[in-house]
Amino acid sequence: MGKYDRPDRRPTVVTGASSGIGAATALTLAAAGYPVALGARRVDKLDDLAASIRESGGEVVVSSLDVTDPDSVKAFAAHVTAELGEVETIVSNAGAVAPGTIHEVDSDRFAREVDLTVTGAHRLVRAFVPAMVRRRRGDVVFVSSDVAVRARPFMSAYAAGKWGLEGMAHAMQMELEGTGVRASIVRPGPTWSEMGTDWDVAEAAHVLTQWERFGLARHPHFMKPQALADAIAFIVGAPRGVHVNLIEVNPEAPIS
C-alpha cells in the first residue's frame, strides 16, 4: 500500500454511541459504508441501534465500554479489533454534564466528570493510536463543545473538561504531524440530546436564565444531532493529504 493510500474498508469506533450525536454518527458512517463498533455503558440501547444498522445492510459490532475504566477500554479495543479488524477511525464522543455551582460541587464528582471527558479520551488514544501510527494512517475525532471557548456558568466540570480535551487534541495534532494520523475536533453549539434531560426542572431553568444573562443563549434554536454527524463524516471522509483540523457547528438563529 502506498504512502497515502488507505483501505476501502475502514473500521470505525464510536463511543457514547447510545444516543444523541454518537448514535447519529454511527448511523451516518454505517450508511456510508464504514464498519462501526459501538461503545457505551447502556448496551441495550446499542443493541437497538445495531439492529437498525444491520437492517440497512451495514456492518456493526456492539461492545460494552466505560471509558473511565482502563480494563473496560482494553477489553473493548481487543474485542472490536478481533471482530472488525484494525481500527482506522475513532470518534471520541462519551460525555456527561450535570448542573452545579463550582464552590458547591463535590470534588469527587468534579473529578469524575473531568476524568470521563479528558482521561477517558486519552485511554482511547492509548488503546488505538499507537497502531495507527505504525500503519501511517488513521483518524481521531474528538467531540468537544463550544464551552471550550465560551465557558458557561453552572456546568464547570464540563467546561473544564472540554477545555482540557481541546488542549490535548491541539497538542496531538502537532505531535502526529508527519505520521499520517489526523486528529480533529468537532465543536458543537447547542444541540438536542439526552444530556441535561435528567436535570431537575428548576435547576435547568435557572441555568438557562443565567446563560441568557451572560449572553450565552442569544436565541432559542438547538441543532439536531445529525448536523454534527454530518460534520464528523466530512472530517473522516476528507481525502489523504487534507486535514480538517476543527469544525465548529452552531444552530442558525430564527429568521426575524
Side-chain angles (χ1 to χ4, degrees):
M1 191 173 284
K3 194 187 298 184
Y4 293 103
D5 292 339
R6 64 184 175 200
D8 293 331
R9 186 176 175 279
R10 297 170 64 197
T12 298
V13 161
V14 182
T15 70
S18 59
S19 66
I21 294 170
T25 299
L27 287 167
T28 299
L29 294 180
Y34 294 79
V36 290
L38 310 178
R41 288 175 295 182
R42 297 181 296 180
V43 180
D44 56 331
K45 291 211 167 190
L46 295 182
D47 288 336
D48 293 340
L49 181 61
S52 176
I53 289 171
R54 290 189 188 103
E55 285 168 12
S56 301
E59 186 179 359
V60 61
V61 63
V62 167
S63 188
S64 173
L65 174 64
D66 179 357
V67 297
T68 67
D69 180 349
D71 291 335
S72 174
V73 175
K74 289 175 186 173
F76 174 83
H79 181 229
V80 300
T81 302
E83 291 289 323
L84 293 181
E86 296 288 357
V87 170
E88 298 281 332
T89 302
I90 304 164
V91 180
S92 176
N93 172 65
V97 60
T101 303
I102 294 174
H103 61 271
E104 295 173 355
V105 170
D106 180 85
S107 293
D108 287 341
R109 188 192 108 178
F110 190 97
R112 283 194 302 273
E113 288 189 40
V114 173
D115 177 65
L116 171 64
T117 304
V118 183
T119 315
H122 183 262
R123 291 183 184 105
L124 282 177
V125 167
R126 283 288 299 137
F128 291 105
V129 172
M132 290 181 170
V133 171
R134 287 194 295 273
R135 293 193 301 275
R136 315 303 278 177
R137 64 178 188 268
D139 277 289
V140 185
V141 182
F142 297 100
V143 178
S144 182
S145 165
D146 69 343
V147 301
V149 289
R150 289 176 291 278
R152 294 172 187 260
F154 306 103
M155 47 196 305
S156 56
Y158 189 69
K162 294 300 187 181
W163 282 49
L165 178 69
E166 290 207 14
M168 182 179 80
H170 284 301
M172 274 186 70
Q173 288 173 341
M174 291 182 280
E175 293 172 2
L176 290 172
E177 270 197 5
T179 67
V181 181
R182 308 182 297 196
S184 303
I185 298 165
V186 171
R187 186 188 290 155
T191 306
W192 290 116
S193 74
E194 287 189 14
M195 284 212 298
T197 56
D198 58 346
W199 292 12
D200 175 81
V201 173
E203 275 190 305
H206 174 70
V207 169
L208 288 171
T209 299
Q210 296 306 309
W211 288 1
E212 291 172 1
R213 173 189 171 196
F214 290 104
L216 296 167
R218 298 188 310 279
H219 63 79
H221 277 192
F222 277 56
M223 293 178 292
K224 293 179 180 178
Q226 187 62 46
L228 286 313
D230 292 340
I232 292 165
F234 177 75
I235 287 173
V236 301
R240 292 299 302 271
V242 175
H243 181 190
V244 184
N245 307 59
L246 166 69
I247 293 181
E248 182 166 3
V249 188
N250 280 289
E252 182 183 3
I255 296 172
S256 57

